[in-house]
Structures are given as structure tokens and as C-alpha cells.
Amino acid sequence: MKHLSLSILLMAMIAGCGDNPAPSPEDQGTLIQSPSIAAPDPYDAKTSAPSGFKLPAGKLTNIALGNWAKTKRDSTGGDDFTKGFDDKALAGRDFTITIPLSQGDDETAAVWRYDKEKQELLLELDMEYTADLKGQMAVFQSAKDVRSPKQMANAFGVTVDVSQTTQWAIGVGTTSGYAGIIPSDALASSPDQKVYGYLTTTIKMPGDQARSAVAGMRLEIDGVVQKNRSGNTVECSERTTEPKIDQPSETVIKTCLIQAKFRRIAFVTKDGKALKEWRR
């Protein structure tokens, strides 16, 4: 009797499978993680601020500012009753960060381009706008991690391997409206919001000299850390782009903006010579 009941159940399940409709285009947009296949995501782990975390004396550098921002980003306070990482000690601190140049790379704040016909070297600081934080910043630390695909499925059981990418960016800039040296654009939507464009310089230079100049050149930014309107010195955001059947990729974007006012910006060669300098 038990064998007969099992046979009837299996026949009903097989018959039912033939009645399932094909996924519609609307249904293809919803993917859920297959729990039996996917491994835990180590990047979801949150940690409290380390005990005794201190800033070094003197001017802060890329490392100190980056570590401070990462600590703020990863700190939740541990539970609902523990205060998170207090970033206010950063306010008023002077800093000097350096950013290596890249050839027209959108992920880097310091860019060079060379017009060999005109024999002109263009040097550019590109302030990146981050919509999540509603501010702009010069990125000085960035990274990308691509992990093994994980299998996900929609409501109709259609499975697909989804690529996983995590991107980090840390920069100095502002959500409060005044960055110092860089002029604001007229495209601001309100008096409280300022939009900053490019800071560029063009230098007439033969090709051999330009090739030598950009090798090891860096952008230097001197400034002071400020508080924004909410009293914080660091604002962080995290956003995930959801995967779809026709676009099987999942990207987590983590951004931290350190509030700052710029006092000096310079393009400096590897031997310490400033090809172009702006001061406030």
C-alpha cells in the first residue's frame, strides 16, 4: 500500500511539471540565491571599531585616512544598544594625500592625456559625483574584487550563474558645498548644493619630455578635514545592483567620502617638481 501511494504521488508530481508556464519577461527579473549551492559571503561581515583606534600625530596621509574611513564603514556598534564608531576626532586635522596619474582612467581622480599633434600635455583632477551620498570626491583609494559565480534562480526554477563583484572607493570631498580651491559649476540645483567640475591644466611639451614627465607623476592634495551638516567627518554608503536572468551580475558598491576643504592641489613629478599648482 505504501509503494502504491508513493507511485501515485510521483505520477502527480510529473504531471504537474508539464503544466508550469514558461517564465514571462517580467518574472525573469527576480532571482533568489540557491541556498544549497551558494557559500557564505565574507564581505557581508560587520565588525565593531577596534579598541584603542588612534590617529597618528602630524599630517594625515592616504593610509591613515583610508583606515579611518574603512573603520567607519565597517562599524555598526555591534548591537542595537552600542554606539558605532565616532569619527568626529578627524575634524580639523590636516592631511596630504597623493594619487598616481593614470591615462584617462575614469576610476582615478588624477588623469593625463597627451595630444601628439599639438604637443600638449593635459593634466586633470576629476571630482567624482556619488549619487548615494549626494557629494563629490577625489578618489584616492579604490579596489575591485571579482569572486566565483554563484548559482541563483527565479521563481520558475530557471537557474543561472551570477558573477559577483565588490567595488570600494574612498575619497576626500564634500557633501556640504565648499571644497576650497575647485570652482563650482553653475549647474547647481540649489544655493546649498555646489557641483564641481574638472581642474585642468595644459602644458606645451615635446613628446619625449611628456613621456618622462608622466612617469611617476602624482597628484598631491593638501587640506583640512571638516564636519558636514550632520556633524560627521565621514559618510559611507553601500549599494547592490540586483542580478537578472538577462544580466547575470551582482555588484556591491561601497563608497566612503571624507569631508574636506582643499588648500593646495599640485601635479608633481617623481623628482618633486610641481608642474602645476593651485593654492587657496
Side-chain angles (χ1 to χ4, degrees), residues 117-266:
E117 301 301 327
K118 295 181 179 180
Q119 301 247 297
E120 291 179 346
L121 176 65
L122 172 70
L123 303 174
E124 178 178 283
L125 164 62
D126 182 6
M127 292 284 284
E128 179 179 321
Y129 180 75
T130 168
D132 295 339
L133 299 174
K134 297 181 181 178
Q136 284 179 274
M137 64 182 183
V139 176
F140 65 87
Q141 281 188 18
S142 62
K144 180 184 291 186
D145 178 65
V146 180
R147 286 164 283 154
S148 300
K150 62 182 177 182
Q151 194 172 68
M152 301 180 76
N154 67 2
F156 287 86
V158 177
T159 60
V160 64
D161 286 336
V162 176
S163 63
Q164 302 175 85
T165 302
T166 301
Q167 298 178 1
W168 297 267
I170 298 174
V172 289
T174 179
T175 59
S176 298
Y178 182 60
I181 297 171
I182 306 174
S184 60
D185 199 307
L187 297 177
S189 60
S190 71
D192 292 334
Q193 179 188 13
K194 293 185 183 298
V195 178
Y196 296 91
Y198 302 112
L199 192 64
T200 63
T201 185
T202 302
I203 304 172
K204 201 78 173 175
M205 187 178 291
D208 290 343
Q209 291 184 23
R211 182 184 295 111
S212 177
V214 299
M217 186 183 293
R218 63 188 183 273
L219 178 73
E220 292 184 355
I221 300 179
D222 293 341
V224 59
V225 179
Q226 305 279 287
K227 291 182 182 180
N228 62 11
R229 292 187 183 92
S230 62
N232 296 318
T233 61
V234 183
E235 294 288 350
C236 296
S237 69
E238 180 173 324
R239 175 167 51 89
T240 301
T241 59
E242 299 298 334
K244 298 181 179 180
I245 288 292
D246 57 353
Q247 192 175 2
S249 61
E250 181 180 76
T251 303
V252 179
I253 301 173
K254 300 183 178 184
T255 306
C256 285
L257 190 161
I258 301 169
Q259 307 292 318
K261 185 177 291 185
F262 301 150
R263 292 173 171 167
R264 172 183 172 270
I265 297 173

